[in-house]
Amino acid sequence: EAYSEGIIDYLRAVEGAELAATIREPPEPPEAERRVSLRASSDELKVLLALEEGWEQFHAFSRYLEDAMRLATSHPGDRLTWWVRSEWADRLRSEGQPAEAERQLLAVLQEQADAKDGIEQIRTLVNLGLFYRSSREWDKLLPLGARAIRIADQLGRTPTVLPHFLCNQSDALLLAGMPGAALEMADAALVAARGVPATSHVARFNRGKALNRLGRHDEGLAILETEAQGPERWEMLNEVAEEYAFAHH
């Protein structure tokens, strides 16, 4: 420990070195944990280290996020920096700066579209969906699902995140009192789920609620009764009861 002061900077100064590491063993007590230091030369590695070394503090909005954000904004255009900026947007939202948070997410989405990175675009649409749901900006939330479907069509495959996102969109649109749009998203989620039980179950349940809200009570309630079976039945009974109350109001 006593001889390691500053040595990592000498290691990092070696020509061609991108990453330097030291492991220091404290002289006492005998069971003391070894101390590890990492230093990077490239900005990309610095972002990674900022996140890895301060993972807990990063999610507690420490200086690591701010350091990573500064690096990310000066080196836009790849998946790591997009992710950092999305996390930064979440911090801004939690600190009461929704307009700036939205601006960050939309800027990231545009960069991803320019880079033709469909998977990352859908991930950012997921974040925007959560953002608009929490702020109840239903007019902005409404087109996100259709955009995600178009992106998946261009990819020629169904990303794993898509059916979950479409289910969330359907649920949000039900909350917004837009059952027609909710039904479209539930149907699209069923197609995207490709028979995966859990996701298909949620999509069918939302479909039943949407049909009921559209006045197709017999059809919608029959779906809800079918889906409200099995080990999760008791968790769903309240929602089924609410839908019966709506149908007979």
Side-chain angles (χ1 to χ4, degrees):
E1 176 75 22
Y3 298 103
S4 66
E5 184 69 30
I7 193 171
I8 194 167
D9 293 318
Y10 289 104
L11 294 173
R12 187 174 54 171
V14 174
E15 184 177 356
E18 293 189 359
L19 179 68
T22 61
I23 302 175
R24 308 188 303 282
E25 185 174 328
E28 56 179 311
E31 67 276 8
E33 292 184 357
R34 293 177 174 84
R35 298 175 183 174
V36 179
S37 293
L38 297 170
R39 296 291 185 275
S41 299
S42 71
D43 287 332
E44 289 77 10
L45 284 172
K46 287 177 182 177
V47 171
L48 280 171
L49 294 181
L51 300 180
E52 291 293 337
E53 288 189 342
W55 185 252
E56 292 181 2
Q57 295 92 331
F58 169 74
H59 280 287
F61 307 129
S62 75
R63 65 181 177 86
Y64 291 104
L65 178 53
E66 296 180 12
D67 292 344
M69 179 58 193
R70 281 194 291 271
L71 291 166
T73 51
S74 63
H75 294 78
D78 61 54
R79 292 188 173 192
L80 176 61
T81 55
W82 290 332
W83 180 70
V84 172
R85 289 159 67 195
S86 295
E87 292 291 331
W88 180 257
D90 189 58
R91 170 177 175 167
L92 291 171
R93 182 185 61 81
S94 69
E95 292 182 345
Q97 302 181 61
E100 179 59 20
E102 180 185 23
R103 190 189 70 79
Q104 288 285 347
L105 287 174
L106 291 175
V108 167
L109 183 63
Q110 185 58 55
E111 286 179 20
Q112 292 163 344
D114 293 341
K116 294 181 170 54
D117 193 327
I119 300 295
E120 292 303 310
Q121 286 181 72
I122 293 176
R123 289 196 175 116
T124 300
L125 289 174
V126 170
N127 289 332
L128 280 167
L130 295 171
F131 179 87
Y132 293 140
R133 177 171 180 155
S134 66
S135 61
R136 294 180 173 264
E137 295 180 86
W138 308 122
D139 58 325
K140 294 180 179 180
L141 180 141
L142 179 60
L144 300 183
R147 180 168 179 174
I149 293 169
R150 289 196 300 272
I151 292 169
D153 289 342
Q154 292 167 1
L155 288 172
R157 60 190 180 89
T158 302
T160 305
V161 70
L162 181 64
H164 300 284
F165 174 54
L166 296 177
C167 283
N168 288 340
Q169 283 290 104
S170 177
D171 189 64
L173 292 167
L174 284 168
L175 182 64
M178 306 169 71
L183 180 60
E184 291 182 15
M185 288 296 101
D187 286 341
L190 274 173
V191 174
R194 298 177 181 270
V196 174
T199 311
S200 298
H201 164 69
V202 174
R204 285 192 296 267
F205 196 79
N206 282 353
R207 186 173 194 275
K209 291 172 69 173
L211 288 169
N212 187 48
R213 297 296 169 121
L214 287 167
R216 296 160 63 178
H217 305 307
D218 291 342
E219 189 179 354
L221 293 173
I223 292 173
L224 294 174
E225 284 287 357
T226 299
E227 295 302 315
Q229 303 295 327
E232 297 181 1
R233 174 175 174 78
W234 298 108
E235 298 177 13
M236 308 173 74
L237 284 180
N238 283 341
E239 290 186 73
V240 174
E242 289 174 2
E243 294 305 316
Y244 269 103
F246 177 87
H248 293 96
H249 181 67

